[in-house]
Amino acid sequence: MRAGLIIVGIILIVAGIWVVAGHAFYQDTDTLLQIGSAKITATRDKGVPQWIGIAGIVIGALLAIGGFLQKR
């Protein structure tokens, strides 16, 4: 359990740093025009909000510290 907390914490910290650095994107597809069964769509890359990265760093740090401080 202790090693699991540390590993998950480190993974969350690294993922959080990746998001905060601006390297995480997702695709969003919007329908611009639809006439009958014909559609015109646009796909855009959007950045993941930085608050998600910050939350990942904080939660990851708490899990890693909890894993290090656990007495087992």
Side-chain angles (χ1 to χ4, degrees):
M1 177 83 172
R2 179 180 173 181
L5 285 176
I6 295 169
I7 291 170
V8 170
I10 291 171
I11 290 171
L12 282 174
I13 291 170
V14 170
I17 291 170
W18 183 261
V19 170
V20 170
H23 297 291
F25 294 97
Y26 66 95
Q27 290 186 344
D28 187 28
T29 303
D30 295 325
T31 301
L32 299 176
L33 179 67
Q34 181 172 359
I35 300 174
S37 63
K39 270 194 224 184
I40 297 177
T41 59
T43 302
R44 297 181 184 103
D45 288 336
K46 292 188 175 184
V48 176
Q50 284 193 346
W51 66 267
I52 293 176
I54 294 169
I57 293 170
V58 170
I59 293 170
L62 290 175
L63 287 176
I65 290 169
F68 283 122
L69 296 179
Q70 193 175 22
K71 295 181 179 181
R72 242 174 140 194

